[in-house]
Amino acid sequence: MSDPRLPEELLKAAADGDHSAWIGLVGRFGQRMWSVAHACGLNEADAADAVQGAWLRLLENLHSIRDPASVGAWLATAARREALLISRRGSGLRPHLCLPEEGGPFDPDPASVVLEADEGRLLWQAVSTLHEPCRTLLRLVATVPEAGTRQLAVRLGVPTGSVGPTRLRCLNKLRTLISQEETVP
């Protein structure tokens, strides 16, 4: 029997340490995450790593999820990103798009796909309006997620200890910019 709580209630309860809420989240969203990982062409072991990595990302970001009601979409995206990272590491090649086969357990709504693509386009437009080093830092963080602080510091020409605070400032600038654009009719 699945947990009757709403996704946002499960997320809050999990953040508060409720083990049954974690079981509820896994029961509700686990299969979808596996489908996303398999759609990226991963074998069983790599798919397991991608799904586990996505759960770890959720654990790390429990208190910062912007829309707790959309935790399922957040987890699917996290699983896709983990799968792409694993695929890139394994082959050294750029992986194919992670789209599930038609009729699979996770068939995205075409309208959702269009909206997600449009949101991505708007996000990158906003990033391109930022000044340096924010523009480069955010592009690096998004496109080379495995890059460490030292690598980012070298690429940006800044001290290692300034990467974290700079990233935080840049994300805050981007958040402000996006929220301003959302309020403009």
Side-chain angles (χ1 to χ4, degrees), residues 50-161:
V51 171
Q52 181 179 2
W55 286 116
L56 179 60
R57 298 294 159 258
L58 178 63
L59 180 61
E60 293 170 342
N61 293 285
L62 269 175
H63 300 287
S64 62
I65 304 291
R66 284 190 309 161
D67 184 8
S70 298
V71 67
W74 191 98
L75 284 165
T77 300
R80 183 174 54 247
R81 288 180 179 157
E82 292 291 324
L84 288 170
L85 183 62
I86 289 168
S87 182
R88 243 187 314 226
R89 282 184 191 151
S91 67
L93 302 174
R94 182 132 179 106
H96 63 283
L97 288 177
C98 293
L99 297 175
E101 292 183 26
E102 231 173 282
F106 172 59
D107 243 349
D109 173 34
S112 298
V113 172
V114 170
L115 287 173
E116 187 175 324
D118 191 46
E119 287 173 353
R121 183 183 54 77
L122 293 173
L123 172 68
W124 288 112
Q125 281 179 342
V127 169
S128 70
T129 65
L130 294 172
H131 297 291
E132 291 299 339
C134 289
R135 184 172 42 236
T136 299
L137 177 60
L138 293 178
R139 284 184 176 148
L140 285 171
V141 168
T143 58
V144 190
E146 65 274 8
T149 304
R150 187 176 313 177
Q151 291 170 316
L152 292 172
V154 168
R155 173 65 174 85
L156 296 170
V158 299
T160 304

Side-chain angles (χ1 to χ4, degrees), residues 1 10 16 18-19 22 26 32 34 41 44 69 84 86 88 91 116 118 123 128 132-133 135 144 170 183:
M1 182 172 175
L10 286 172
D16 292 338
D18 181 354
H19 181 68
W22 280 104
V26 171
R32 181 179 184 187
W34 277 91
E44 205 63 27
L84 288 170
I86 289 168
R88 243 187 314 226
S91 67
E116 187 175 324
D118 191 46
L123 172 68
S128 70
E132 291 299 339
R135 184 172 42 236
V144 190
C170 294
T183 58

